[in-house]
Amino acid sequence: MPERARQLARLLNLSLSMAAVVTFAAAPVVNAQSTTTSTPKPGTSSGKNTPKPGSSSGSKQPDKPTDGEQATSCTAKAVPPPANEGNGDQLPPLDLPKEPVGGAEMGSCGAVLPKGANFPPDGITADSWLIADQDTGDVLAGFAPHARQRPAGTVKVLLTMVAIKEIAPDQVIVGTKEDTRQTGTRVGIVADGKYAAKDLIRALIVTPAADAANALARELGGPDVAAQKMNDLARGLNALDTRVVNPNGNDVPGQSTSAFDTALIYREAMRIPEFAEATGSKKVQIKPQGARNTAITRTNDNKLLDSYKSATGGKAGTTSAAKNVFVGSAERDGKKLIVTVMRSDQQPFEQAESLLEYGFTLAAARSKSVGKLAGASEPPQTSRTADTPSSDEEETSKQASSAAVHRSAFGTFGLPITLLAGAVVLVGLLMTAKRKMARAKRLRSQTR
């Protein structure tokens, strides 16, 4: 082969090699784009084949989502337990929404846990429960969140919210004999006694106070009017499992709520300064006006305030149909959580504490939320500053950071630079080859 032909062959091979290098360098761009545009779908759990909480403490949930299509609603528990010792309700059940409030996973009749999370602790006997972030509304975990239950005393949170909104704090309310005859634990109102509305409201927040609940309902227009106002508030909050028939929470036909709704309502109540301050108090004192002015002091019936140092408040209740129910809150290192325990065979406080500890563990692990307490308003900026991202914002930030890593070498700006560098190298090689060919030609001419 002539010398000139060999030189051209070498030059062609060099050009092909450089083209291969540039192509290899550009390949990560495709990978980076596919990584950032197809975000994996979060793991879901329909509750099917999922052990009831307490059956496998400490074991890991399977990495793959449970099989089966996500139920749109918990139809198996669309009707609360019978209110009258086995007799069915005389009121039709509430309609089930087309889509579960709070997200598709909230429609499960079983456990709803973050993908890869440990199972909840042993000893949970509640028919349904839920753990949520008080600030963001993110649901961290739950069991049958929308299963309809009887509310018992937790319904008084709604009554308190309506009373705070509509009754002037210094309004004088006169006790009646009907107040003193109310079923359940009473704070000690006496007939003809005069009480400031703010004292009765505070008593209702801190204790069962069946007599104070009746007096406040009467001030709102009577039990039926008060119940309607409570229902209006519940609908405004999108608490669609909740129907109030009796403002005191007694077992009556039609009365209904759920773990999800109870947490949702409590979260909104904690936005009200008067409620948030009172629910964390260990005692309440009522100072009657007029001749019967002996002060009444009662202790908060929320035992978590004594046994659990992170507790910030709560409301408990007990009836035959509701069994033991509780909604409460706790705060640790700036993280605020809400827990609901519905229809437990045992006292709910120990279970609430275990679930709160489980919730703090999930929060510390930055587990992805499984739902949202979608209330009427955005979460308050209290312990979280405006610069602190929510879990959804953190997930978006992580994805953006991942994309930035891919782009850093061969991304949006790296690809043109890589191609330019390859072109410069190729031109340099061509010029070098040309010089070598010229030099060889001169040498040949000198030797002739």
Side-chain angles (χ1 to χ4, degrees):
M1 181 184 293
E3 181 64 24
R4 185 176 181 84
R6 285 197 297 270
Q7 293 288 345
L8 288 174
R10 294 192 189 99
L11 182 59
L12 179 60
N13 288 333
L14 286 172
S15 300
L16 291 174
S17 298
M18 287 306 303
V21 169
V22 172
T23 302
F24 176 77
V29 176
V30 178
N31 293 335
Q33 290 176 344
S34 63
T35 301
T36 56
T37 56
S38 58
T39 305
K41 185 177 180 180
T44 58
S45 173
S46 65
K48 184 179 180 180
N49 297 327
T50 305
K52 186 171 182 178
S55 62
S56 300
S57 177
S59 61
K60 292 285 288 182
Q61 185 186 12
D63 290 336
K64 296 177 66 176
T66 54
D67 295 329
E69 185 178 354
Q70 175 64 49
T72 57
S73 57
C74 186
T75 55
K77 297 185 179 181
V79 179
N84 298 317
E85 298 297 333
N87 296 328
D89 275 7
Q90 288 87 48
L91 293 177
L94 293 169
D95 293 335
L96 288 171
K98 185 176 180 181
E99 298 293 337
V101 177
E105 292 186 83
M106 295 294 94
S108 172
C109 284
V112 186
L113 309 176
K115 184 179 180 181
N118 287 333
F119 283 112
D122 286 329
I124 308 301
T125 65
D127 272 10
S128 58
W129 54 265
L130 183 138
I131 311 166
D133 187 306
Q134 181 178 321
D135 286 335
T136 66
D138 289 339
V139 177
L140 304 183
F143 190 92
H146 279 296
R148 269 76 184 268
Q149 307 288 356
R150 301 294 180 181
T154 59
V155 79
K156 295 173 184 175
V157 176
L158 269 176
L159 178 59
T160 298
M161 295 171 71
V162 174
I164 291 174
K165 179 181 178 182
E166 298 197 11
I167 304 176
D170 295 325
Q171 174 71 32
V172 175
I173 298 177
V174 179
T176 66
K177 289 185 178 180
E178 182 186 17
D179 296 335
T180 66
R181 295 169 181 166
Q182 289 300 302
T183 302
T185 304
R186 299 181 291 273
V187 74
I189 287 179
V190 297
D192 298 325
K194 298 178 180 180
Y195 308 91
K198 61 184 178 183
D199 286 346
L200 296 184
I201 291 172
R202 189 176 180 86
L204 185 60
I205 295 171
V206 175
T207 71
D211 46 358
N214 192 71
L216 290 168
R218 183 175 63 253
E219 192 67 21
L220 289 168
D224 292 342
V225 174
Q228 185 57 54
K229 291 180 177 181
M230 294 163 70
N231 284 324
D232 291 342
L233 177 56
R235 292 296 172 272
L237 296 176
N238 216 19
L240 304 184
D241 299 317
T242 298
R243 177 168 59 193
V244 181
V245 179
N246 178 288
N248 235 325
N250 297 330
D251 289 336
V252 293
Q255 198 103 299
S256 174
T257 192
S258 66
F260 183 95
D261 281 14
T262 303
L264 172 63
I265 293 166
Y266 181 85
R267 178 181 177 232
E268 290 297 318
M270 288 295 282
R271 298 169 59 87
I272 304 172
E274 297 93 328
F275 184 94
E277 189 277 327
T279 193
S281 302
K282 292 188 176 183
K283 291 184 179 181
V284 62
Q285 187 176 71
I286 299 177
K287 297 180 180 179
Q289 303 176 15
R292 298 186 175 186
N293 57 5
T294 302
I296 303 171
T297 302
R298 294 290 183 266
T299 302
N300 198 321
D301 65 336
N302 178 9
K303 293 180 173 57
L304 275 190
L305 293 175
D306 293 322
S307 63
Y308 190 51
K309 65 179 182 179
S310 298
T312 58
K315 191 69 178 172
T318 302
T319 66
S320 297
K323 296 188 178 181
N324 294 285
V325 298
F326 177 77
V327 58
S329 52
E331 180 176 4
R332 181 180 299 168
D333 299 328
K335 175 65 70 176
K336 296 180 180 180
L337 298 184
I338 293 173
V339 64
T340 50
V341 176
M342 308 298 293
R343 206 163 193 265
S344 169
D345 291 326
Q346 303 169 348
Q347 283 290 315
F349 304 109
E350 185 175 344
Q351 296 177 65
E353 181 176 338
S354 296
L355 289 172
L356 284 168
E357 283 297 308
Y358 178 62
F360 281 121
T361 300
L362 293 177
R366 297 182 180 272
S367 299
K368 189 173 180 62
S369 66
V370 295
K372 193 84 168 180
L373 294 180
S377 53
E378 293 299 318
Q381 296 292 337
T382 51
S383 62
R384 292 176 66 245
T385 64
D387 296 330
T388 303
S390 67
S391 60
D392 291 340
E393 293 168 341
E394 287 176 351
E395 184 67 19
T396 302
S397 176
K398 288 178 182 178
Q399 293 172 5
S401 298
S402 176
V405 169
H406 285 290
R407 288 196 300 268
S408 61
F410 302 104
T412 305
F413 299 104
L415 178 58
I417 293 174
T418 302
L419 294 175
L420 179 60
V424 170
V425 172
L426 183 58
V427 170
L429 289 172
L430 288 171
M431 292 179 67
T432 300
K434 187 176 181 180
R435 287 196 299 269
K436 287 183 177 181
M437 290 174 64
R439 182 181 178 185
K441 185 176 181 181
R442 288 196 301 271
L443 289 175
R444 285 196 299 270
S445 63
Q446 291 174 2
T447 57
R448 288 176 182 173

mmCIF file with all atom_site columns, all heavy atoms in Angstrom, residues 352-365:
data_model
loop_
_atom_site.group_PDB
_atom_site.id
_atom_site.type_symbol
_atom_site.label_atom_id
_atom_site.label_alt_id
_atom_site.label_comp_id
_atom_site.label_asym_id
_atom_site.label_entity_id
_atom_site.label_seq_id
_atom_site.pdbx_PDB_ins_code
_atom_site.Cartn_x
_atom_site.Cartn_y
_atom_site.Cartn_z
_atom_site.occupancy
_atom_site.B_iso_or_equiv
_atom_site.pdbx_formal_charge
_atom_site.auth_seq_id
_atom_site.auth_comp_id
_atom_site.auth_asym_id
_atom_site.auth_atom_id
_atom_site.pdbx_PDB_model_num
ATOM 1   N N   . ALA A 1 352 ? -52.161 4.479  72.431 1.00 0.00 ? 352 ALA A N   1
ATOM 2   C CA  . ALA A 1 352 ? -51.860 5.769  71.803 1.00 0.00 ? 352 ALA A CA  1
ATOM 3   C C   . ALA A 1 352 ? -50.381 6.110  71.955 1.00 0.00 ? 352 ALA A C   1
ATOM 4   O O   . ALA A 1 352 ? -49.735 6.590  71.015 1.00 0.00 ? 352 ALA A O   1
ATOM 5   C CB  . ALA A 1 352 ? -52.725 6.866  72.421 1.00 0.00 ? 352 ALA A CB  1
ATOM 6   N N   . GLU A 1 353 ? -49.823 5.836  73.127 1.00 0.00 ? 353 GLU A N   1
ATOM 7   C CA  . GLU A 1 353 ? -48.404 6.107  73.353 1.00 0.00 ? 353 GLU A CA  1
ATOM 8   C C   . GLU A 1 353 ? -47.531 5.248  72.438 1.00 0.00 ? 353 GLU A C   1
ATOM 9   O O   . GLU A 1 353 ? -46.567 5.747  71.837 1.00 0.00 ? 353 GLU A O   1
ATOM 10  C CB  . GLU A 1 353 ? -48.057 5.842  74.814 1.00 0.00 ? 353 GLU A CB  1
ATOM 11  C CG  . GLU A 1 353 ? -46.598 6.109  75.159 1.00 0.00 ? 353 GLU A CG  1
ATOM 12  C CD  . GLU A 1 353 ? -46.298 5.919  76.636 1.00 0.00 ? 353 GLU A CD  1
ATOM 13  O OE1 . GLU A 1 353 ? -47.242 5.993  77.458 1.00 0.00 ? 353 GLU A OE1 1
ATOM 14  O OE2 . GLU A 1 353 ? -45.121 5.703  76.982 1.00 0.00 ? 353 GLU A OE2 1
ATOM 15  N N   . SER A 1 354 ? -47.865 3.962  72.312 1.00 0.00 ? 354 SER A N   1
ATOM 16  C CA  . SER A 1 354 ? -47.089 3.079  71.446 1.00 0.00 ? 354 SER A CA  1
ATOM 17  C C   . SER A 1 354 ? -47.149 3.540  69.991 1.00 0.00 ? 354 SER A C   1
ATOM 18  O O   . SER A 1 354 ? -46.139 3.537  69.282 1.00 0.00 ? 354 SER A O   1
ATOM 19  C CB  . SER A 1 354 ? -47.615 1.645  71.554 1.00 0.00 ? 354 SER A CB  1
ATOM 20  O OG  . SER A 1 354 ? -47.442 1.128  72.856 1.00 0.00 ? 354 SER A OG  1
ATOM 21  N N   . LEU A 1 355 ? -48.327 3.943  69.559 1.00 0.00 ? 355 LEU A N   1
ATOM 22  C CA  . LEU A 1 355 ? -48.483 4.399  68.178 1.00 0.00 ? 355 LEU A CA  1
ATOM 23  C C   . LEU A 1 355 ? -47.761 5.720  67.940 1.00 0.00 ? 355 LEU A C   1
ATOM 24  O O   . LEU A 1 355 ? -47.199 5.951  66.858 1.00 0.00 ? 355 LEU A O   1
ATOM 25  C CB  . LEU A 1 355 ? -49.964 4.527  67.825 1.00 0.00 ? 355 LEU A CB  1
ATOM 26  C CG  . LEU A 1 355 ? -50.725 3.202  67.683 1.00 0.00 ? 355 LEU A CG  1
ATOM 27  C CD1 . LEU A 1 355 ? -52.221 3.445  67.532 1.00 0.00 ? 355 LEU A CD1 1
ATOM 28  C CD2 . LEU A 1 355 ? -50.200 2.398  66.495 1.00 0.00 ? 355 LEU A CD2 1
ATOM 29  N N   . LEU A 1 356 ? -47.761 6.592  68.925 1.00 0.00 ? 356 LEU A N   1
ATOM 30  C CA  . LEU A 1 356 ? -47.022 7.854  68.786 1.00 0.00 ? 356 LEU A CA  1
ATOM 31  C C   . LEU A 1 356 ? -45.522 7.584  68.676 1.00 0.00 ? 356 LEU A C   1
ATOM 32  O O   . LEU A 1 356 ? -44.830 8.206  67.852 1.00 0.00 ? 356 LEU A O   1
ATOM 33  C CB  . LEU A 1 356 ? -47.323 8.779  69.972 1.00 0.00 ? 356 LEU A CB  1
ATOM 34  C CG  . LEU A 1 356 ? -48.683 9.483  69.930 1.00 0.00 ? 356 LEU A CG  1
ATOM 35  C CD1 . LEU A 1 356 ? -48.990 10.134 71.283 1.00 0.00 ? 356 LEU A CD1 1
ATOM 36  C CD2 . LEU A 1 356 ? -48.721 10.539 68.819 1.00 0.00 ? 356 LEU A CD2 1
ATOM 37  N N   . GLU A 1 357 ? -45.014 6.655  69.479 1.00 0.00 ? 357 GLU A N   1
ATOM 38  C CA  . GLU A 1 357 ? -43.597 6.296  69.376 1.00 0.00 ? 357 GLU A CA  1
ATOM 39  C C   . GLU A 1 357 ? -43.294 5.732  67.991 1.00 0.00 ? 357 GLU A C   1
ATOM 40  O O   . GLU A 1 357 ? -42.265 6.049  67.380 1.00 0.00 ? 357 GLU A O   1
ATOM 41  C CB  . GLU A 1 357 ? -43.238 5.269  70.462 1.00 0.00 ? 357 GLU A CB  1
ATOM 42  C CG  . GLU A 1 357 ? -43.080 5.867  71.848 1.00 0.00 ? 357 GLU A CG  1
ATOM 43  C CD  . GLU A 1 357 ? -41.930 6.852  71.902 1.00 0.00 ? 357 GLU A CD  1
ATOM 44  O OE1 . GLU A 1 357 ? -40.802 6.516  71.485 1.00 0.00 ? 357 GLU A OE1 1
ATOM 45  O OE2 . GLU A 1 357 ? -42.160 7.998  72.355 1.00 0.00 ? 357 GLU A OE2 1
ATOM 46  N N   . TYR A 1 358 ? -44.195 4.905  67.500 1.00 0.00 ? 358 TYR A N   1
ATOM 47  C CA  . TYR A 1 358 ? -44.050 4.358  66.153 1.00 0.00 ? 358 TYR A CA  1
ATOM 48  C C   . TYR A 1 358 ? -44.055 5.485  65.117 1.00 0.00 ? 358 TYR A C   1
ATOM 49  O O   . TYR A 1 358 ? -43.272 5.497  64.168 1.00 0.00 ? 358 TYR A O   1
ATOM 50  C CB  . TYR A 1 358 ? -45.193 3.374  65.902 1.00 0.00 ? 358 TYR A CB  1
ATOM 51  C CG  . TYR A 1 358 ? -45.214 2.752  64.524 1.00 0.00 ? 358 TYR A CG  1
ATOM 52  C CD1 . TYR A 1 358 ? -44.173 1.949  64.070 1.00 0.00 ? 358 TYR A CD1 1
ATOM 53  C CD2 . TYR A 1 358 ? -46.307 2.956  63.685 1.00 0.00 ? 358 TYR A CD2 1
ATOM 54  C CE1 . TYR A 1 358 ? -44.211 1.366  62.808 1.00 0.00 ? 358 TYR A CE1 1
ATOM 55  C CE2 . TYR A 1 358 ? -46.354 2.371  62.420 1.00 0.00 ? 358 TYR A CE2 1
ATOM 56  C CZ  . TYR A 1 358 ? -45.305 1.582  61.993 1.00 0.00 ? 358 TYR A CZ  1
ATOM 57  O OH  . TYR A 1 358 ? -45.343 1.013  60.739 1.00 0.00 ? 358 TYR A OH  1
ATOM 58  N N   . GLY A 1 359 ? -44.937 6.455  65.327 1.00 0.00 ? 359 GLY A N   1
ATOM 59  C CA  . GLY A 1 359 ? -45.015 7.587  64.418 1.00 0.00 ? 359 GLY A CA  1
ATOM 60  C C   . GLY A 1 359 ? -43.758 8.427  64.405 1.00 0.00 ? 359 GLY A C   1
ATOM 61  O O   . GLY A 1 359 ? -43.287 8.856  63.336 1.00 0.00 ? 359 GLY A O   1
ATOM 62  N N   . PHE A 1 360 ? -43.180 8.665  65.573 1.00 0.00 ? 360 PHE A N   1
ATOM 63  C CA  . PHE A 1 360 ? -41.936 9.438  65.636 1.00 0.00 ? 360 PHE A CA  1
ATOM 64  C C   . PHE A 1 360 ? -40.798 8.683  64.926 1.00 0.00 ? 360 PHE A C   1
ATOM 65  O O   . PHE A 1 360 ? -39.919 9.297  64.321 1.00 0.00 ? 360 PHE A O   1
ATOM 66  C CB  . PHE A 1 360 ? -41.562 9.735  67.084 1.00 0.00 ? 360 PHE A CB  1
ATOM 67  C CG  . PHE A 1 360 ? -42.355 10.874 67.691 1.00 0.00 ? 360 PHE A CG  1
ATOM 68  C CD1 . PHE A 1 360 ? -43.142 10.673 68.819 1.00 0.00 ? 360 PHE A CD1 1
ATOM 69  C CD2 . PHE A 1 360 ? -42.317 12.139 67.131 1.00 0.00 ? 360 PHE A CD2 1
ATOM 70  C CE1 . PHE A 1 360 ? -43.872 11.717 69.373 1.00 0.00 ? 360 PHE A CE1 1
ATOM 71  C CE2 . PHE A 1 360 ? -43.045 13.193 67.676 1.00 0.00 ? 360 PHE A CE2 1
ATOM 72  C CZ  . PHE A 1 360 ? -43.829 12.975 68.804 1.00 0.00 ? 360 PHE A CZ  1
ATOM 73  N N   . THR A 1 361 ? -40.828 7.345  65.018 1.00 0.00 ? 361 THR A N   1
ATOM 74  C CA  . THR A 1 361 ? -39.826 6.547  64.312 1.00 0.00 ? 361 THR A CA  1
ATOM 75  C C   . THR A 1 361 ? -39.979 6.701  62.802 1.00 0.00 ? 361 THR A C   1
ATOM 76  O O   . THR A 1 361 ? -38.993 6.874  62.070 1.00 0.00 ? 361 THR A O   1
ATOM 77  C CB  . THR A 1 361 ? -39.951 5.064  64.700 1.00 0.00 ? 361 THR A CB  1
ATOM 78  O OG1 . THR A 1 361 ? -39.750 4.922  66.114 1.00 0.00 ? 361 THR A OG1 1
ATOM 79  C CG2 . THR A 1 361 ? -38.914 4.218  63.970 1.00 0.00 ? 361 THR A CG2 1
ATOM 80  N N   . LEU A 1 362 ? -41.213 6.651  62.326 1.00 0.00 ? 362 LEU A N   1
ATOM 81  C CA  . LEU A 1 362 ? -41.463 6.823  60.895 1.00 0.00 ? 362 LEU A CA  1
ATOM 82  C C   . LEU A 1 362 ? -41.052 8.224  60.440 1.00 0.00 ? 362 LEU A C   1
ATOM 83  O O   . LEU A 1 362 ? -40.466 8.400  59.369 1.00 0.00 ? 362 LEU A O   1
ATOM 84  C CB  . LEU A 1 362 ? -42.945 6.607  60.585 1.00 0.00 ? 362 LEU A CB  1
ATOM 85  C CG  . LEU A 1 362 ? -43.493 5.188  60.769 1.00 0.00 ? 362 LEU A CG  1
ATOM 86  C CD1 . LEU A 1 362 ? -44.991 5.165  60.500 1.00 0.00 ? 362 LEU A CD1 1
ATOM 87  C CD2 . LEU A 1 362 ? -42.780 4.206  59.852 1.00 0.00 ? 362 LEU A CD2 1
ATOM 88  N N   . ALA A 1 363 ? -41.352 9.224  61.263 1.00 0.00 ? 363 ALA A N   1
ATOM 89  C CA  . ALA A 1 363 ? -41.002 10.601 60.905 1.00 0.00 ? 363 ALA A CA  1
ATOM 90  C C   . ALA A 1 363 ? -39.492 10.779 60.841 1.00 0.00 ? 363 ALA A C   1
ATOM 91  O O   . ALA A 1 363 ? -38.971 11.444 59.938 1.00 0.00 ? 363 ALA A O   1
ATOM 92  C CB  . ALA A 1 363 ? -41.623 11.573 61.910 1.00 0.00 ? 363 ALA A CB  1
ATOM 93  N N   . ALA A 1 364 ? -38.781 10.180 61.800 1.00 0.00 ? 364 ALA A N   1
ATOM 94  C CA  . ALA A 1 364 ? -37.318 10.300 61.822 1.00 0.00 ? 364 ALA A CA  1
ATOM 95  C C   . ALA A 1 364 ? -36.699 9.620  60.602 1.00 0.00 ? 364 ALA A C   1
ATOM 96  O O   . ALA A 1 364 ? -35.665 10.065 60.094 1.00 0.00 ? 364 ALA A O   1
ATOM 97  C CB  . ALA A 1 364 ? -36.762 9.684  63.102 1.00 0.00 ? 364 ALA A CB  1
ATOM 98  N N   . ALA A 1 365 ? -37.339 8.555  60.122 1.00 0.00 ? 365 ALA A N   1
ATOM 99  C CA  . ALA A 1 365 ? -36.849 7.840  58.942 1.00 0.00 ? 365 ALA A CA  1
ATOM 100 C C   . ALA A 1 365 ? -37.280 8.520  57.638 1.00 0.00 ? 365 ALA A C   1
ATOM 101 O O   . ALA A 1 365 ? -36.966 8.029  56.553 1.00 0.00 ? 365 ALA A O   1
ATOM 102 C CB  . ALA A 1 365 ? -37.343 6.402  58.958 1.00 0.00 ? 365 ALA A CB  1
#
